[in-house]
Amino acid sequence: MRSVYIKLLLFFPVLCLAQIPVIETPDKKGGFEKDNNVILQRLNIETKITGGISTNVVTMVFKNNSKRIMEGRVTFPLPEGVNASGYALDINGKLRNAVPVEKTKAKEVFETIEKRRVDPGILEKVEGNNFRTRIYPINPNGGERTIQVTYNYELKKSGKNYQYFLPLNYSTEIPQFNVKTTVYQNANAPELIEKPDGSFDFTKKGDIWMAETHKVNYKPSENLRINFPQDEENQNILLQKASNDSSYFLASIGLNAQEKPKKLTNKLAIVWDNSLSGSKRNHSKEFELLNEYFKSNKDLSVKVYFINNAFEEGKNFIINDGNWSELKAYLSQVVYDGGTDFGQLKSVKEREILFFTDGLSSFGDLKLNWKQPVYTISASNNSNFSQLKFISNKTGGEFLNINENEPKKEVRKLLFQPLRFLGIEDNTEVTEVYPSLPQAVSQDFVLTGILKGQKTTLHLKFGYGNDVSETKTIDLNTNEQTVKDWEISQFWAQKKLNELEIFEKENKNEIKDLSRQFGLVSNNTSLMVLEDIADYVRYEITPPSELRAEYDRLVKNNRVQKDQRVNDLMQRAENITANLKKWWETDFENKPKTYPRTRRSQNDTMNRELQIEEVVMVGYGQAKRVAPQALASNSVQAEQMLQGSVAGVNIRNKDKKVDEVLVESDIINSGRIILADIKSDAEYMKFFDNAKSSEEIYQLYLNYRKDYKDLPRYYFDISQLLFKQNDKILGLKVLSSIADLDLENEELYKLLAYKLKQAEVFDKELWISQKVLEWRPFDPQSYRDYALALEDNGQYQAALENLYKILNQSYTRELAARDYGIEETIIMEINELISRHRKDLNLKKINPKIMADLPVNIRVVINWNKDNTDIDLWVTDPNNERCMYSHKETAIGGRLSNDFTGGFGPEQFLLKKAIKGKYKIETNFYNENQVSIAGPTAIMAEIYINYASGKQERKVVVFQNKSESDTRNRDGVLVGEFEF
């Protein structure tokens, strides 16, 4: 079977507003859309509840109603503080549980296996709160695929009740709909506040309450909301026995938390995230919060600031007697555009800051310059809660989640000094107690940790600021509070993980260890399913329990060969360097065109050919497929024979020696680069035909954006128009919006990096390239893009080291085969750095066998942003001879690197000495084996004259493949020309 790419984007926790998954399939524009091609055929939700906790298992079956193989994308949001603790995928009709694997290894293994047309599954965590599953293949004519997600959830306190809430509103019918809820050890009957239909009622069996419903062709319109009455000071304590006489405990403590009035500020800053993703926040809830705030703090000054890809000052407002209508009108008219760059945040003078944002900084790292209390406020389904909590924690503010909690309740954190948990009194019988940081509490509080021994008493400290004002006592006793069939350890691990992630960089290793041991998805650990037991052995991944016996047998008997990695590329690099030197030292003389000859002249030619005693052949690979005409006429081919060269082979006399030493001035040749104006053929471009100024272009862009808001190509094309108008500020704003379209998407970020390089926004090119490297450290191209961005930023030593890493790293055989021949491009780039910046470089660790002076008149390199894609580079010289994948050497010395039929490129053309005339540069879009949200493949061409010399010049062209349906454009796309 073709690969199933289960790519789950689990963002940091948020309210579960859409737990019924939405299935989307690729549209014809490079995005995803909701349609009836792939439907949710069956939905099973099983929940078990005890005390203040629940475990939820959601099973989804997707059906393909179309006549072709389809890919589907499923989005599954989870509540704040919740991580996926289980994942399964159907393999040969049976669900197989996933196992934890280090994130980068999981992705590398996944992509390696994918190339063998096998079906792995991977669950990843990125920024935000969403699980996102991409399912492929779903076979045609009724084919089905099944996934299952498990998560643990702490119930919220609502008045005197714990409350369980499951949103079930869904826009279409579900052919098979099943919900089952089981409540354990609850003396009083659960109260159904909302229920899916009239048949869903609890019945009691012993000390268990159970309710379930099974529906066919059902469209749920009501949610499920259950109350569990509790005493105000009630405690629920659960323990799970573990090894070494230890137990995990979880204590839910009811509180009657009193607040203290605080002095309200009269100078307030509102920092409003107006990036493109900011448009998705619930502004009604944000305005409700402000309305409640100004009811109490009635007279003050408010200064508004905005953050997207830049930080801007807004207007000042004076609030009198709580009247904030002008401020509300102003915020209601905000235009949301641009990426999000928290590195642009500037100091402000006001005494407190209300920061309205989703916390997702897609275009730069956080630089926290604020010293005053910052209250971070989330009103979005997708929020980076760890980042928001970090900001509020570091500045002495509070985090407000008005997406999950009522604004009327959360506003009290702004108006009052809340009761805070300040820790526990020293007790040697417990360890690893969480939360370990002070935090505000309201009606309920959950404490978890590890108990050594059988019992102990804990004293919990609460107070205001850092002053303890009261203590609560809880008794832990394994004989009375131990429960069976409940993974209390998972709740403990989840609680610890959430706290560790607030300071993620400092806790990276501990997060990795915790996630691996408890099977939690984190930024360092993924959950993975493999189809073949041999692959678990090959990649040394411990399988789920049902496969463990077979796995152990194969390992014991050495029945499966472990993955044989390609240890490094250095030997190959040495050979290619030697090959390049021979090519560079070869004399290629341009002969005049030949004309039809008489028989006598032909015989003379034959006699000269017979005088060649011996030849040295230097070849670079064979043609892979039937190619367009490489030579303009037979006369050129005859010319090649005369000067000792045929397509793909160089011929030179064995006795010829290069006695002269060429200096740089012998290579430098005056010429110029002429770039083609590659215009987009998208339908929306007609709206901009008559626009004369950047302001007019930008307004039209905003006017039509609603119809194209999810298409990266729209932002790419319009930013191009703005850059042509020399409006770098607006061009960058529009371009950076691409970063807000999707999360942890290397295709989008590569597209961004290409365009930022072309626009000479080198600092952002570097940041974007570094993010791609973090996500894909197993790709040589990730290091190369990052290294070249470092060079653009003047960081030459770091650039050299990252290029050199490509030759020293190990790779899976499949990925090494995909990128076979990349060494030739890397060698040229290493030596260009050395030739131009030798005085800034430490070369002690560089292998001297790959060092060479190789200046050339012409160099062209193309890269592209999608894996499994084949783009070809063509260069046609003044003799009308085309250098291409099937004709890699030309009569005048043109040389083309390996043909990359998968991966991201690069392909490189070199010509040491240019002859007079015009050279044509083209790209040919040969094949693409995937459809993605990034839209058409983006291609970047870097065009140089006098490369690796003191007179080097570079121009960059970036464009997207014009027609998504055209995968065999035989004419090529003109990128530019050289004139010498």
Side-chain angles (χ1 to χ4, degrees):
M1 287 191 294
R2 188 68 174 91
S3 68
V4 178
Y5 192 173
I6 306 302
K7 186 176 183 181
L8 275 128
L9 310 178
L10 168 59
F11 301 116
F12 300 106
V14 77
L15 175 63
C16 185
L17 291 179
Q19 274 186 295
I20 290 187
V22 176
I23 183 75
E24 302 168 306
T25 54
D27 61 20
K28 295 181 180 180
K29 300 177 181 179
F32 284 83
E33 62 185 359
K34 302 172 189 176
D35 57 27
N36 292 320
N37 285 328
V38 179
I39 64 168
L40 178 60
Q41 173 69 15
R42 183 164 67 250
L43 175 65
N44 295 338
I45 303 175
E46 292 193 31
T47 303
K48 62 177 187 176
I49 300 169
T50 188
I53 62 173
S54 69
T55 295
N56 307 268
V57 180
V58 181
T59 306
M60 296 159 274
V61 179
F62 300 99
K63 182 179 180 181
N64 182 4
N65 290 324
S66 74
K67 295 181 180 180
R68 58 192 181 96
I69 293 176
M70 295 292 292
E71 174 187 7
R73 186 174 77 166
V74 184
T75 300
F76 191 88
L78 289 177
E80 179 186 350
V82 177
N83 297 76
S85 57
Y87 173 67
L89 171 71
D90 66 317
I91 300 293
N92 300 322
K94 182 181 178 181
L95 282 175
R96 178 172 294 174
N97 290 319
V99 293
V101 181
E102 186 177 350
K103 184 176 181 178
T104 54
K105 178 179 179 178
K107 190 177 286 188
E108 182 182 39
V109 169
F110 174 86
E111 296 198 9
T112 298
I113 294 175
E114 180 186 35
K115 296 186 184 305
R116 291 195 265 114
R117 305 297 190 261
V118 181
D119 290 348
I122 186 172
L123 178 87
E124 297 179 304
K125 185 175 185 179
V126 294
E127 295 180 81
N129 74 306
N130 283 325
F131 285 92
R132 184 168 296 156
T133 305
R134 297 185 70 168
I135 307 169
Y136 181 87
I138 311 175
N139 289 325
N141 303 314
E144 295 183 346
R145 296 306 303 265
T146 303
I147 63 172
Q148 187 177 85
V149 176
T150 302
Y151 64 94
N152 298 303
Y153 178 52
E154 296 171 14
L155 307 187
K156 302 296 182 182
K157 197 77 175 287
S158 178
K160 295 184 178 181
N161 304 302
Y162 280 116
Q163 188 173 93
Y164 174 78
F165 177 65
L166 178 68
L168 292 175
N169 54 309
Y170 199 58
S171 57
T172 58
E173 283 188 350
I174 301 175
Q176 299 174 52
F177 175 83
N178 306 300
V179 175
K180 180 179 179 180
T181 304
T182 307
V183 183
Y184 296 83
Q185 298 173 327
N186 205 74
N188 300 320
E191 298 176 359
L192 281 165
I193 308 303
E194 290 183 67
K195 55 184 180 178
D197 74 331
S199 67
F200 191 87
D201 282 305
F202 280 100
T203 57
K204 190 174 185 182
K205 296 180 181 179
D207 62 349
I208 298 174
W209 297 88
M210 185 180 298
E212 57 186 314
T213 187
H214 306 276
K215 295 292 181 181
V216 176
N217 297 326
Y218 180 65
K219 181 180 178 181
S221 57
E222 298 292 333
N223 300 313
L224 177 59
R225 192 186 303 268
I226 310 170
N227 278 353
F228 302 93
Q230 304 289 317
D231 295 333
E232 197 166 281
E233 298 289 330
N234 183 60
Q235 295 182 1
N236 284 298
I237 301 172
L238 304 172
L239 288 93
Q240 178 192 12
K241 288 188 176 181
S243 59
N244 300 322
D245 197 28
S246 296
S247 300
Y248 291 94
F249 71 85
L250 186 143
S252 301
I253 304 161
L255 295 170
N256 184 18
Q258 301 295 319
E259 299 158 329
K260 276 189 173 182
K262 74 169 188 177
K263 184 179 180 181
L264 301 179
T265 184
N266 61 356
K267 292 183 178 179
L268 179 70
I270 290 179
V271 179
W272 196 265
D273 182 344
N274 68 328
S275 64
L276 184 64
S277 66
S279 63
K280 299 176 183 178
R281 301 199 312 270
N282 188 332
H283 303 306
S284 295
K285 283 199 168 187
E286 291 174 332
F287 291 159
E288 185 180 347
L289 179 81
L290 287 172
N291 194 56
E292 294 297 323
Y293 179 77
F294 292 126
K295 282 181 181 178
S296 296
N297 195 7
K298 297 183 176 183
D299 299 292
L300 70 159
S301 65
V302 177
K303 173 75 172 182
V304 177
Y305 301 87
F306 296 103
I307 181 67
N308 49 21
N309 67 301
F311 188 73
E312 297 179 0
E313 289 192 24
K315 289 186 177 181
N316 291 293
F317 295 88
I318 302 298
I319 309 299
N320 290 317
D321 198 27
N323 183 355
W324 69 291
S325 57
E326 288 186 21
L327 172 59
K328 183 177 181 180
Y330 180 65
L331 294 175
S332 299
Q333 296 170 5
V334 167
V335 174
Y336 296 90
D337 196 24
T340 315
D341 186 359
F342 287 174
Q344 299 296 319
L345 293 170
K346 302 292 191 299
S347 299
V348 301
K349 298 178 180 178
E350 289 70 30
R351 294 171 183 168
E352 285 186 356
I353 300 172
L354 304 187
F355 189 14
F356 292 86
T357 179
D358 56 18
L360 297 167
S361 186
S362 63
F363 205 60
D365 289 324
L366 171 68
K367 294 179 182 176
L368 190 57
N369 298 309
W370 295 330
K371 305 301 181 185
Q372 59 272 70
V374 180
Y375 296 84
T376 52
I377 300 161
S378 168
S380 173
N381 290 345
N382 301 332
S383 292
N384 186 335
F385 283 87
S386 294
Q387 182 114 285
L388 297 176
K389 290 176 180 178
F390 173 80
I391 293 170
S392 61
N393 183 283
K394 289 288 284 186
T395 60
E398 294 287 349
F399 165 64
L400 285 68
N401 185 352
I402 60 175
N403 197 51
E404 179 171 357
N405 303 313
E406 289 297 322
K408 287 184 179 180
K409 176 182 177 182
E410 291 290 276
V411 75
R412 303 187 73 83
K413 294 179 182 178
L414 305 177
L415 301 172
F416 297 92
Q417 191 175 8
L419 183 68
R420 291 163 62 86
F421 169 68
L422 299 175
I424 64 171
E425 293 182 359
D426 290 341
N427 187 320
T428 58
E429 301 299 319
V430 294
T431 60
E432 296 277 0
V433 175
Y434 297 96
S436 65
L437 301 173
Q439 69 174 46
V441 297
S442 52
Q443 290 181 309
D444 61 329
F445 175 70
V446 176
L447 188 76
T448 184
I450 300 174
L451 169 66
K452 296 179 180 179
Q454 303 300 308
K455 60 183 179 179
T456 193
T457 298
L458 295 181
H459 300 282
L460 285 60
K461 299 181 289 186
F462 297 89
Y464 302 91
N466 294 318
D467 299 324
V468 177
S469 61
E470 61 178 299
T471 59
K472 292 280 185 181
T473 300
I474 61 172
D475 295 314
L476 304 179
N477 190 321
T478 58
N479 294 323
E480 299 174 1
Q481 297 160 338
T482 298
V483 292
K484 296 180 180 179
D485 302 322
W486 285 90
E487 294 294 332
I488 304 304
S489 61
Q490 290 285 336
F491 287 87
W492 170 85
Q494 183 167 274
K495 203 85 167 175
K496 177 173 182 175
L497 178 61
N498 290 334
E499 188 168 297
L500 290 174
E501 287 182 332
I502 295 175
F503 304 98
E504 183 180 349
K505 289 182 179 179
E506 296 89 333
N507 298 321
K508 183 177 181 179
N509 291 333
E510 194 169 1
I511 289 172
K512 187 184 298 184
D513 293 340
L514 182 74
S515 301
R516 184 170 56 244
Q517 182 176 343
F518 291 91
L520 295 175
V521 181
S522 70
N523 287 333
N524 300 304
T525 303
S526 301
L527 294 181
M528 190 165 204
V529 177
L530 301 179
E531 180 176 353
D532 189 351
I533 182 63
D535 281 332
Y536 287 98
V537 179
R538 183 174 291 112
Y539 299 108
E540 300 181 87
I541 295 173
T542 303
S545 57
E546 63 265 28
L547 300 178
R548 191 60 188 266
E550 177 67 7
Y551 174 86
D552 291 340
R553 185 184 68 80
L554 290 174
V555 171
K556 182 179 180 180
N557 297 326
N558 294 317
R559 296 293 297 275
V560 177
Q561 186 178 12
K562 291 184 179 180
D563 182 36
Q564 298 296 314
R565 296 178 69 87
V566 177
N567 288 329
D568 62 56
L569 309 179
M570 191 58 72
Q571 183 60 55
R572 206 187 299 167
E574 290 178 4
N575 295 338
I576 290 176
T577 304
N579 188 288
L580 277 167
K581 287 179 179 179
K582 289 180 181 179
W583 164 80
W584 195 90
E585 292 168 357
T586 301
D587 271 338
F588 296 95
E589 294 182 8
N590 180 45
K591 301 286 186 180
K593 283 190 176 181
T594 58
Y595 298 96
R597 297 175 179 271
T598 64
R599 181 172 298 179
R600 178 178 177 182
S601 63
Q602 290 176 350
N603 289 336
D604 289 344
T605 301
M606 293 173 62
N607 290 334
R608 282 194 295 270
E609 289 174 349
L610 291 172
Q611 292 172 6
I612 299 176
E613 297 175 354
E614 187 177 340
V615 298
V616 178
M617 302 178 64
V618 185
Y620 304 104
Q622 301 300 318
K624 62 172 182 181
R625 51 186 182 248
V626 178
Q629 187 71 20
L631 302 177
S633 68
N634 289 333
S635 64
V636 176
Q637 193 166 6
E639 177 187 330
Q640 282 185 301
M641 293 174 65
L642 285 169
Q643 62 188 82
S645 178
V646 295
V649 179
N650 282 345
I651 302 175
R652 52 188 175 85
N653 192 293
K654 69 170 185 176
D655 295 324
K656 181 170 183 177
K657 297 180 181 178
V658 181
D659 296 321
E660 68 274 19
V661 178
L662 292 176
V663 295
E664 186 176 282
S665 59
D666 295 319
I667 296 303
I668 293 174
N669 197 342
S670 60
R672 63 176 182 145
I673 303 168
I674 306 166
L675 299 183
D677 184 12
I678 305 173
K679 295 182 178 179
S680 170
D681 61 354
E683 60 179 4
Y684 48 73
M685 294 303 292
K686 62 188 177 188
F687 304 136
F688 300 88
D689 286 344
N690 299 319
K692 304 299 182 185
S693 66
S694 60
E695 291 78 11
E696 191 176 352
I697 292 170
Y698 186 69
Q699 191 55 54
L700 287 168
Y701 152 79
L702 294 175
N703 293 345
Y704 291 105
R705 186 176 62 179
K706 63 182 182 297
D707 297 324
Y708 307 99
K709 59 183 176 63
D710 295 325
L711 292 184
R713 190 177 187 182
Y714 183 68
Y715 303 93
F716 178 90
D717 286 340
I718 308 310
S719 69
Q720 180 87 330
L721 295 178
L722 292 166
F723 284 127
K724 283 183 179 179
Q725 292 282 336
N726 295 316
D727 195 328
K728 204 166 186 176
I729 293 175
L730 284 180
L732 186 58
K733 179 188 286 188
V734 173
L735 179 66
S736 67
S737 295
I738 293 174
D740 269 16
L741 294 180
D742 201 13
L743 294 161
E744 203 160 309
N745 186 321
E746 72 276 0
E747 293 176 0
L748 288 181
Y749 270 50
K750 280 177 175 284
L751 168 64
L752 264 177
Y754 296 166
K755 195 64 184 175
L756 290 165
K757 180 188 287 283
Q758 183 187 32
E760 298 185 355
V761 187
F762 295 135
D763 60 332
K764 288 302 163 190
E765 176 207 0
L766 180 61
W767 188 85
I768 293 290
S769 299
Q770 187 173 20
K771 295 302 288 185
V772 175
L773 177 57
E774 288 176 13
W775 301 334
R776 301 180 64 83
F778 48 85
D779 267 338
Q781 189 73 316
S782 299
Y783 286 93
R784 179 175 176 268
D785 289 342
Y786 180 54
L788 298 183
L790 285 164
E791 183 180 7
D792 286 338
N793 283 271
Q795 300 181 42
Y796 304 124
Q797 185 67 40
L800 177 64
E801 290 168 0
N802 277 277
L803 284 172
Y804 199 65
K805 279 180 186 177
I806 296 171
L807 305 179
N808 280 322
Q809 291 205 131
S810 67
Y811 303 92
T812 65
R813 288 171 295 171
E814 290 83 354
L815 292 181
R818 181 198 69 179
D819 295 328
Y820 186 85
I822 195 173
E823 300 90 346
E824 180 161 330
T825 303
I826 302 306
I827 289 162
M828 291 300 297
E829 288 163 345
I830 285 175
N831 285 295
E832 181 269 346
L833 271 169
I834 294 172
S835 68
R836 299 182 68 223
H837 308 290
R838 184 182 291 269
K839 61 181 174 54
D840 300 314
L841 299 174
N842 182 345
L843 303 178
K844 290 182 179 178
K845 295 182 179 180
I846 305 300
N847 181 355
K849 292 183 179 180
I850 67 164
M851 293 169 60
D853 288 325
L854 299 168
V856 294
N857 280 172
I858 292 177
R859 180 178 186 252
V860 182
V861 183
I862 62 168
N863 319 267
W864 50 92
N865 70 327
K866 290 187 181 182
D867 198 359
N868 301 314
T869 301
D870 185 0
I871 310 289
D872 291 324
L873 172 63
W874 299 346
V875 179
T876 306
D877 65 25
N879 290 338
N880 208 23
E881 185 179 2
R882 177 182 286 170
C883 195
M884 58 189 303
Y885 63 84
S886 59
H887 183 70
K888 293 186 177 181
E889 297 176 36
T890 65
I892 64 172
R895 171 189 178 110
L896 190 67
S897 63
N898 267 23
D899 179 26
F900 283 76
T901 59
F904 305 96
E907 291 193 10
Q908 171 183 260
F909 171 82
L910 301 173
L911 180 62
K912 184 181 77 170
K913 193 74 173 176
I915 65 171
K916 185 176 180 181
K918 186 174 288 188
Y919 299 75
K920 186 166 65 172
I921 309 162
E922 296 170 285
T923 62
N924 176 254
F925 185 83
Y926 189 81
N927 192 30
E928 178 183 272
N929 295 321
Q930 63 187 59
V931 178
S932 73
I933 193 174
T937 300
I939 302 165
M940 177 176 69
E942 295 178 88
I943 304 167
Y944 297 87
I945 57 174
N946 299 318
Y947 182 76
S949 75
K951 297 290 185 179
Q952 176 174 305
E953 294 181 33
R954 178 184 74 177
K955 290 191 177 180
V956 178
V957 179
V958 183
F959 63 97
Q960 289 190 283
N961 181 51
K962 281 194 170 187
S963 173
E964 293 138 358
S965 61
D966 178 16
T967 60
R968 302 281 175 108
N969 180 6
R970 294 306 185 187
D971 296 330
V973 175
L974 181 65
V975 174
E977 295 177 335
F978 295 103
E979 271 191 5
F980 284 90

